[in-house]
Amino acid sequence: DAGVIQSPRHEVTEMGQEVTLRCKPISGHDYLFWYRQTMMRGLELLIYFNNNVPIDDSGMPEDRFSAKMPNASFSTLKIQPSEPRDSAVYFCASSLQRGSGETQYFGPGTRLLVL
Amino acid sequence: SQKIEQNSEALNIQEGKTATLTCNYTNYSPAYLQWYRQDPGRGPVFLLLIRENEKEKRKERLKVTFDTTLKQSLFHITASQPADSATYLCALGTGFQKLVFGTGTRLLVSP
């Protein structure tokens, strides 16, 4: 299996621009997670989906952030408009639904820099 | 307030020694706890899971303990090797699949 795939790997944009991050989970996984990692705040959960349905978006920082999962093999995280404080590494992860505490498999991340 | 604390300072040890990393938490009641390894420029990789009714779990050179009274988990790497150098993250299971991560401890193993 190719693992969790994220694109782009790096993104540099200017403040005010729209940014779209993409994720393809591992085939057959039921859960998909979006995280953000910064030096100051560590790895924070933004939102997660179960069977394409958003379950908990309490970590989404503001209305500028939105996430969708139109099907089992694709999800997007959008920031509009972007701000310099959104600069971080964004990870997507997926897991199975066999029981609680399932292993989460992380993608390589998208490194976002907002100028 | 809720807090997860891991040593923010890097842990430096000599090859062959046992590395012990600490994860303390307050105002959480996790049903389980996981440890992940993260190398620079890469995503975290799962290492071990321990549930609240388990005291200790082992996997090869790795051992994790979970004390729900002390609200602490210890992560041990025995016979450490330079290849074990990485950042180690603890993650509390606060929901069926929901994790809250600590900020991680960087481990450096010198030859």
Side-chain angles (χ1 to χ4, degrees):
Chain A
D1 199 323
V4 175
I5 298 172
Q6 290 187 247
S7 65
R9 293 294 312 276
H10 302 272
E11 177 84 26
V12 180
T13 190
E14 293 191 345
M15 184 174 63
Q17 297 297 305
E18 177 179 294
V19 175
T20 300
L21 311 181
R22 296 173 176 79
C23 175
K24 177 177 167 51
I26 293 173
S27 177
H29 280 194
D30 310 282
Y31 281 85
L32 183 138
F33 308 82
W34 281 102
Y35 290 88
R36 177 172 70 176
Q37 188 172 39
T38 61
M39 288 293 293
M40 290 298 296
R41 300 174 66 91
L43 191 62
E44 303 173 282
L45 177 65
L46 301 176
I47 184 171
Y48 72 98
F49 296 82
N50 179 218
N51 292 324
N52 314 338
V53 176
I55 301 301
D56 185 341
D57 65 354
S58 59
M60 295 285 261
E62 306 169 30
D63 290 346
R64 297 184 297 105
F65 286 69
S66 63
K68 292 182 181 178
M69 191 163 186
N71 58 62
S73 58
F74 183 66
S75 177
T76 59
L77 178 68
K78 190 172 291 188
I79 309 172
Q80 166 65 17
S82 58
E83 296 183 5
R85 60 193 165 122
D86 302 330
S87 298
V89 182
Y90 290 81
F91 288 103
C92 175
S94 68
S95 72
L96 290 167
Q97 188 180 300
R98 290 176 300 199
S100 71
E102 283 294 333
T103 300
Q104 293 190 17
Y105 295 85
F106 284 76
T110 295
R111 188 172 296 270
L112 173 65
L113 178 60
V114 183
L115 301 173
Chain B
S1 64
Q2 294 178 314
K3 233 180 343 182
I4 304 172
E5 291 178 317
Q6 294 186 254
N7 288 359
S8 56
E9 307 257 335
L11 179 63
N12 288 277
I13 64 167
Q14 286 273 302
E15 183 176 9
K17 302 290 187 187
T18 296
T20 299
L21 285 66
T22 304
C23 176
N24 294 300
Y25 58 92
T26 53
N27 293 321
Y28 283 107
S29 297
Y32 58 90
L33 191 148
Q34 297 181 347
W35 283 86
Y36 285 77
R37 168 184 173 140
Q38 187 172 23
D39 291 286
R42 304 179 81 103
V45 174
F46 171 81
L47 295 173
L48 279 169
L49 160 73
I50 187 165
R51 298 192 185 275
E52 61 180 337
N53 60 345
E54 298 173 316
K55 295 288 186 191
E56 182 180 297
K57 267 288 197 47
R58 290 174 187 261
K59 179 182 174 184
E60 297 171 354
R61 294 185 296 111
L62 308 180
K63 183 179 89 170
V64 63
T65 63
F66 191 12
D67 190 326
T68 56
T69 302
L70 287 179
K71 295 188 182 296
Q72 180 182 77
S73 175
L74 299 178
F75 178 78
H76 307 271
I77 305 175
T78 57
S80 59
Q81 304 165 1
D84 295 326
S85 299
T87 297
Y88 291 85
L89 305 168
C90 75
L92 305 186
T94 61
F96 189 70
Q97 297 292 5
K98 186 173 180 179
L99 294 175
V100 179
F101 280 83
T103 51
T105 297
R106 191 167 163 220
L107 173 66
L108 297 170
V109 181
S110 307

